[in-house]
Amino acid sequence: MTRFVIKRIIQSIPILIIISIISFSIIRMAPGDPVKVFITPQMTYEQIERTRTRLGLDKPIYIQYFYWIKNLLKGDLGYSFINYQPVIKLIKERIGPTIGLMGISMIISVILSIALGTISAVYKDKFLDKFISKVCYIGISIPSFWFAMMLIYTFSLKFKILPSLGMRSIGVKSTLDLIKHGIMPVIVLSFPNTSILTRYIRSNVIDEMDENYVDMLRSKGLNYKRILYVHILKNSLLPVITILGMNLPSLVSGAFITESIFGWPGMGRLGVGSIFNFDYPVIMAITMLSSVMLIVGNLVSDICYSIVDPRIKLIR
């Protein structure tokens, strides 16, 4: 296990380097100039150029990248062009809400999809199965931003049940208030993933129900519910672990959209604001951190797969 983890970490280093080079180049070559944020009508050309030099934007791209990598290896992510604060401080302030939102959404998705997928498979081609399937097709098809706006209109504007913006109400620090603010963002993030996982689990359970070992267990007199929950469901969940790892990118990108719409103070909202303001250090930090999260997520997925199914050995 330890050798496998170390090997995967070593293999991920070239991937991160390639991601950093591509991201750094695209950001620098994109239309727009962060120096414009600092320009005032009274500034002279010399003052504008001094600002560019102070931000380190007067050097060639490869020199800028070299200095960025050098500082990164020292644990220095630089300073935000807009907030004038260390990037690592901004990340620390925002990473907690983002991980909390993504983590809760993933847990809810897994629990609901297991229940709904199993029910849909047991009642195959019946009303309940058709109803769950239609809801899943809706969850897979509708855009997240549209779904978020509909929730805000329904529960915030029309019925005034839930708050529409932020993570807490001003001056309120109760857990109930935090839960109220998190309900709609969690629903928006978990609905598409729940729909996808439900369809996979339904398909896997139906395939497992037709296997010979199920007939053998039933011939031995085992209760069908025991066969379903102990044997069929366990074997059906193996591919789901891989699907969860593959869905991490969509969860991260979904967090960007969701946090922006609901004003959730996480990395997604910080990233979108940084993109519009050409805040290069923050954009690079969030890009690399998101890449690390995806690599770690896939590594955990592989490890969990080998734990659930002992027949699968990790390649050392």
Side-chain angles (χ1 to χ4, degrees):
M1 179 73 73
T2 305
R3 288 184 180 179
F4 173 76
V5 172
I6 294 173
K7 184 178 179 180
R8 285 293 295 271
I9 291 173
I10 294 173
Q11 289 175 345
S12 66
I13 293 175
I15 297 174
L16 291 173
I17 293 174
I18 294 172
I19 291 173
S20 69
I21 293 173
I22 295 174
S23 302
F24 197 93
S25 302
I26 291 174
I27 292 170
R28 291 302 194 276
M29 291 186 295
D33 188 357
V35 177
K36 291 181 179 179
V37 178
F38 303 91
I39 295 176
T40 62
Q42 294 77 25
M43 291 180 68
T44 63
Y45 176 79
E46 289 75 15
Q47 290 173 324
I48 294 173
E49 290 304 308
R50 278 201 298 270
T51 302
R52 190 182 305 278
T53 301
R54 180 169 58 85
L55 296 175
L57 300 174
D58 59 323
K59 300 177 178 62
I61 292 179
Y62 65 91
I63 297 295
Q64 294 181 40
Y65 178 78
F66 173 78
Y67 282 121
W68 179 79
I69 283 288
K70 182 180 177 182
N71 292 330
L72 180 65
L73 295 176
K74 295 178 181 178
D76 181 11
L77 298 177
Y79 282 78
S80 169
F81 291 168
I82 308 302
N83 298 312
Y84 307 104
Q85 295 182 19
V87 174
I88 193 167
K89 180 184 177 183
L90 296 175
I91 296 295
K92 286 180 179 179
E93 292 173 351
R94 303 297 188 105
I95 194 171
T98 295
I99 291 178
L101 188 64
M102 290 173 57
I104 293 172
S105 300
M106 182 171 287
I107 292 171
I108 291 176
S109 296
V110 171
I111 294 173
L112 285 179
S113 60
I114 291 174
L116 294 175
T118 305
I119 293 171
S120 187
V122 171
Y123 294 95
K124 178 185 176 183
D125 295 332
K126 296 182 179 179
F127 171 78
L128 200 55
D129 175 35
K130 292 178 180 179
F131 176 76
I132 293 174
S133 296
K134 287 180 180 179
V135 173
C136 289
Y137 290 139
I138 293 173
I140 295 170
S141 304
I142 61 173
S144 296
F145 69 88
W146 181 86
F147 184 45
M149 298 303 294
M150 291 299 100
L151 290 180
I152 291 173
Y153 172 77
T154 304
F155 296 104
S156 296
L157 299 180
K158 192 170 184 179
F159 295 108
K160 301 185 185 303
I161 300 174
L162 299 172
S164 60
L165 292 173
M167 192 170 73
R168 292 185 182 274
S169 300
I170 298 174
V172 181
K173 296 184 178 180
S174 65
T175 304
L176 180 61
D177 181 67
L178 177 61
I179 292 173
K180 285 183 177 180
H181 280 81
I183 288 175
M184 288 195 291
V186 167
I187 290 175
V188 172
L189 263 184
S190 59
F191 189 28
N193 286 320
T194 301
S195 302
I196 293 171
L197 290 174
T198 297
R199 297 300 299 167
Y200 272 103
I201 291 173
R202 175 190 180 276
S203 176
N204 292 336
V205 170
I206 290 174
D207 290 341
E208 289 295 325
M209 289 170 68
D210 294 332
E211 292 293 331
N212 293 329
Y213 74 86
V214 176
D215 295 331
M216 183 189 69
L217 291 173
R218 294 188 70 176
S219 67
K220 289 184 177 180
L222 267 70
N223 183 277
Y224 184 72
K225 288 185 177 180
R226 177 178 174 82
I227 297 173
L228 177 63
Y229 295 121
V230 176
H231 299 280
I232 294 177
L233 194 56
K234 180 182 177 181
N235 293 332
S236 301
L237 292 180
L238 288 174
V240 175
I241 297 174
T242 303
I243 299 301
L244 279 173
M246 293 172 61
N247 278 352
L248 275 175
S250 63
L251 196 62
V252 173
S253 60
F256 272 62
I257 299 172
T258 304
E259 289 180 4
S260 299
I261 294 175
F262 290 102
W264 191 263
M267 289 200 307
R269 188 182 177 193
L270 176 65
V272 172
S274 301
I275 291 171
F276 282 109
N277 291 313
F278 304 104
D279 198 347
Y280 294 161
V282 177
I283 296 172
M284 282 302 303
I286 292 177
T287 301
M288 296 310 299
L289 185 58
S290 299
S291 301
V292 171
M293 289 172 62
L294 295 178
I295 290 172
V296 171
N298 281 282
L299 174 60
V300 172
S301 174
D302 290 342
I303 294 173
C304 290
Y305 206 107
S306 67
I307 292 174
V308 173
D309 189 352
R311 294 172 301 174
I312 298 173
K313 300 297 181 181
L314 296 176
I315 301 175
R316 292 175 171 81

